[in-house]
Amino acid sequence: LTTFSHQSIDESSARVTVVGEFTEHTDFSEVLELSSLRLVFDLSGVSRINSCGVREWIRLMDALRGRTIELHKCSVPFVAQLNMIVNFVGEAKVCSFFAPYLCVECDKERLRLVERERALELPEFMACPECGAAMEFDDLKEVYLTFVTRR
Ligand SMILES: [Zn+2]
C-alpha cells in the first residue's frame, strides 16, 4: 500500500510525502492532479520498489517534466533503484538521501541523512550515536554513491 499526503508550501510549491511501496498497485494520479510548479517530495517512507513500481515512477517523472521536482530524504530502497536505472528520476533533482551504517555492537542498521552536496564526504566509519562503537558503512560506498558520481 502506498499513501500520499501533500500540503502547500506557498502559491507555487507543494510538499508531497510518499509512504509505502512502489508496485503495480501504486497510483500516482493524486500527485499528477497537483498543479504546483514546484513539487518537493519526501521519500523517506518509500519501503520497497518492484519493476512495475519503477515503471510507474518513471512515468510520473516524465509527466512532471518541465516543473521543478526536488527529491528529499530518499530512502535506501529508492537509492538502490537510482543506482541501477540511469533514467530513474529524469530531470528531478536529488537533494538529500539516507546512507546506511551498521553497528555490530548494537546489531542495528542506522540511517544517516546526507545532503547531496556532501555525499562524497561520507566517512567509511563513524561513531554509533547509541553505544559509541565504530559503525561501518553498510554497503560498498562507491556502489551506493553511483548516482552521485555518474554525471
Ligand atoms: Zn551501537
Side-chain angles (χ1 to χ4, degrees):
L1 198 78
T2 320
T3 60
F4 303 97
S5 58
H6 49 86
Q7 60 193 111
S8 83
I9 298 171
D10 57 39
E11 272 178 22
S12 58
S13 312
R15 181 180 310 283
V16 182
T17 304
V18 187
V19 174
E21 307 180 337
F22 291 2
T23 68
E24 56 276 27
H25 304 297
T26 307
D27 180 3
F28 287 107
S29 57
E30 198 178 320
V31 179
L32 278 171
E33 281 165 20
L34 299 172
S35 56
S36 306
L37 291 175
R38 176 172 163 255
L39 294 176
V40 178
F41 282 83
D42 178 336
L43 299 170
S44 58
V46 177
S47 56
R48 190 174 75 95
I49 304 175
N50 72 10
S51 57
C52 297
V54 166
R55 200 182 56 214
E56 293 305 316
W57 171 259
I58 289 176
R59 213 172 263 171
L60 173 69
M61 290 294 101
D62 277 346
L64 295 175
R65 209 167 275 265
R67 303 201 218 176
T68 301
I69 307 299
E70 294 177 16
L71 308 176
H72 292 263
K73 300 183 181 177
C74 299
S75 68
V76 172
F78 190 90
V79 171
Q81 298 299 333
L82 196 52
N83 284 329
M84 276 189 285
I85 298 162
V86 175
N87 196 34
F88 191 55
V89 297
E91 291 169 358
K93 184 170 179 248
V94 174
C95 298
S96 62
F97 63 96
F98 283 98
Y101 282 85
L102 181 72
C103 177
V104 287
E105 289 298 319
C106 299
D107 193 23
K108 268 196 181 139
E109 187 177 75
R110 302 195 183 283
L111 300 176
R112 168 140 183 199
L113 184 61
V114 190
E115 296 301 314
R116 166 75 163 72
E117 296 82 60
R118 325 255 355 222
L120 297 179
E121 298 166 26
L122 271 179
E124 190 65 39
F125 295 93
M126 70 170 74
C128 172
E130 289 292 314
C131 73
M135 52 179 194
E136 188 172 9
F137 197 86
D138 196 21
D139 201 339
L140 287 172
K141 211 162 57 144
E142 61 273 25
V143 174
Y144 196 77
L145 298 177
T146 301
F147 75 97
V148 177
T149 52
R150 188 157 49 206
R151 46 192 166 179

